[in-house]
Amino acid sequence: MHCMVILVNWKRTLDTCACITSLERTIGIEWSAVVCENGSPDGSAAGLQNFFAEKYTERIRSTATPQVFDYYTENTDVPRITLVLSPSNLGFAGGNNLAYRHVPVDVKAEFIWFLNNDTEVEPDTLPQMIERMRQDPSIGICGNTIIYAHDRKTVQAFGGAFYHPWSGLIREIGQGKTWPCAVDINAVEARMRYVSGASMLVTHEFINRVGLMCEDYFLYYEEIDWAERGRKVGFRLGYAPQAVIFHKEGAALGSGKSTRRSMLSEYYGILGKLTVTRRFFPWALPTVYLFCLLQILRRYIQGYRVRARMMAEVLLGFRCTPPEEE
């Protein structure tokens, strides 16, 4: 049995290298990875190439666009790491999809793990997730326990989150609890509307029937879209509580909570919320608009008037281009 791991790098070379290093400690499961360097302007491509060249044997697969490099361990015919260099930033879904499309043709992976590059994993994380999916073949996407990397006793999420269509509000399940703790798997899975994009293990069958992530979102809400599409064809969501990853939340874009969020994060957050509502919950558009207005008013009162104006322009359809990075 083989698992393919998919990573996207955006200006966080050291995080990606740390993630790969933690994956090397995985026990009991054969794996290989495809890393999409998503057009970072900071020299990330050269940094990743240097890191992989020191650890593995490099072979150039393609010098066309995108450039593709395969890296092998000793005495293996299958690349351990494939590095795909995107010429531009394709967003979260686009970067993951590009990486998936460059999985080596001779790799027959039953499971595909879409994993954030700003995570580090425990040695038994992947085996625990695969075991949960084997227990219930109807699970199309499986999540795991996500712990904050800066506070390794505090839970960010038990697998994923609850999404309230009427308001567009998201509540990560288990957030703030002290780890380790007892978890009711059935209760978590019953409440979970989507699996966190930080760690999504999917089956090959799921991708064949549902397709890859929708690239309309660029950033945020593609996990809800994927879960809703899977639900329509009979797949359910799963959760493996003892499978643990440590997440440096919002490292690449500043997507923390409230006023700590970047302008880009605010832009894609409100745009994604409107897109997913129109697509799957059109009956909730009036109340979602109301909650968005309240969010904009809150930003204005907090003194973030430029941000509030930008968000209002997105809500009213007057803006369709993202702000400059801060």
Side-chain angles (χ1 to χ4, degrees):
M1 181 179 56
H2 194 97
C3 178
M4 177 57 62
V5 183
I6 303 293
L7 300 171
V8 176
N9 181 81
W10 171 251
K11 300 197 301 186
R12 304 293 297 191
T13 302
L14 294 179
D15 286 344
T16 300
C17 296
C19 183
I20 293 293
T21 299
S22 71
L23 281 166
E24 288 287 8
R25 297 191 289 267
T26 295
I27 58 174
I29 300 293
E30 291 295 322
W31 65 273
S32 51
V34 181
V35 178
C36 170
E37 204 309 291
N38 213 7
S40 303
D42 65 344
S44 287
L48 290 173
Q49 286 178 287
N50 291 336
F51 176 76
F52 295 142
E54 289 179 359
K55 294 174 63 69
Y56 312 103
T57 301
E58 179 185 80
R59 299 180 196 172
I60 299 175
R61 190 198 305 180
S62 173
T63 57
T65 302
Q67 298 180 61
V68 183
F69 303 84
D70 290 323
Y71 297 87
Y72 294 78
T73 56
E74 292 184 5
N75 303 317
T76 58
D77 297 324
V78 176
R80 179 63 134 184
I81 307 291
T82 295
L83 176 63
V84 182
L85 303 183
S86 173
S88 62
N89 185 359
L90 303 177
F92 180 77
N96 277 295
N97 292 350
L98 180 67
Y100 179 80
R101 294 186 182 108
H102 285 84
V103 170
V105 294
D106 51 350
V107 173
K108 308 300 180 184
E110 182 180 351
F111 298 95
I112 303 93
W113 192 9
F114 292 85
L115 181 66
N116 268 22
N117 70 315
D118 62 344
T119 62
E120 295 180 28
V121 308
E122 294 283 59
D124 64 343
T125 299
L126 183 55
Q128 291 275 358
M129 295 174 76
I130 289 176
E131 175 61 24
R132 179 68 192 108
M133 296 193 85
R134 289 202 177 283
Q135 291 171 357
D136 186 347
S138 69
I139 295 175
I141 311 177
C142 185
N144 56 273
T145 299
I146 304 172
I147 307 296
Y148 288 113
H150 67 276
D151 179 4
R152 298 199 169 199
K153 292 185 178 180
T154 302
V155 173
Q156 178 185 338
F158 290 151
F162 174 75
Y163 178 74
H164 195 283
W166 286 105
S167 64
L169 297 178
I170 290 170
R171 292 289 181 267
E172 291 181 304
I173 301 169
Q175 186 179 49
K177 288 186 176 294
T178 299
W179 184 259
C181 62
V183 184
D184 185 333
I185 300 176
N186 293 329
V188 170
E189 291 183 347
R191 190 168 180 233
M192 189 162 51
R193 190 81 192 212
Y194 70 92
V195 171
S196 170
S199 174
M200 300 182 288
L201 185 67
V202 307
T203 60
H204 186 68
E205 181 188 3
F206 179 89
I207 291 179
N208 282 343
R209 292 179 57 191
V210 179
L212 292 171
M213 281 181 264
C214 178
E215 298 180 21
D216 292 347
Y217 297 90
F218 192 82
L219 189 67
Y220 308 137
Y221 290 89
E222 53 278 290
E223 313 108 302
I224 301 176
D225 185 292
W226 220 15
E228 291 299 321
R229 285 157 53 203
R231 193 174 284 113
K232 286 184 176 181
V233 295
F235 286 106
R236 58 184 298 270
L237 306 178
Y239 166 58
Q242 298 307 314
V244 174
I245 67 168
F246 301 100
H247 186 210
K248 306 160 191 175
E249 186 197 23
L253 195 62
S255 56
K257 304 302 180 185
S258 188
T259 58
R260 290 182 293 145
R261 300 184 69 178
S262 68
M263 286 277 284
L264 277 173
S265 180
E266 298 274 34
Y267 172 83
Y268 286 118
I270 196 166
L271 187 64
K273 184 182 300 185
L274 295 174
T275 301
V276 82
T277 302
R278 292 189 185 104
R279 184 162 294 168
F280 297 102
F281 318 107
W283 35 266
L285 272 172
T287 51
V288 167
Y289 267 83
L290 176 60
F291 274 87
C292 286
L293 283 171
L294 293 174
Q295 182 184 16
I296 293 167
L297 179 61
R298 181 184 180 191
R299 294 289 185 269
Y300 188 86
I301 293 172
Q302 290 170 332
Y304 295 90
R305 297 185 178 183
V306 173
R307 182 179 305 190
R309 178 176 177 177
M310 180 271 295
M311 295 168 69
E313 290 172 348
V314 175
L315 183 65
L316 298 174
F318 297 148
R319 186 185 187 110
C320 58
T321 56
E324 295 292 329
E325 287 190 70
E326 297 173 327

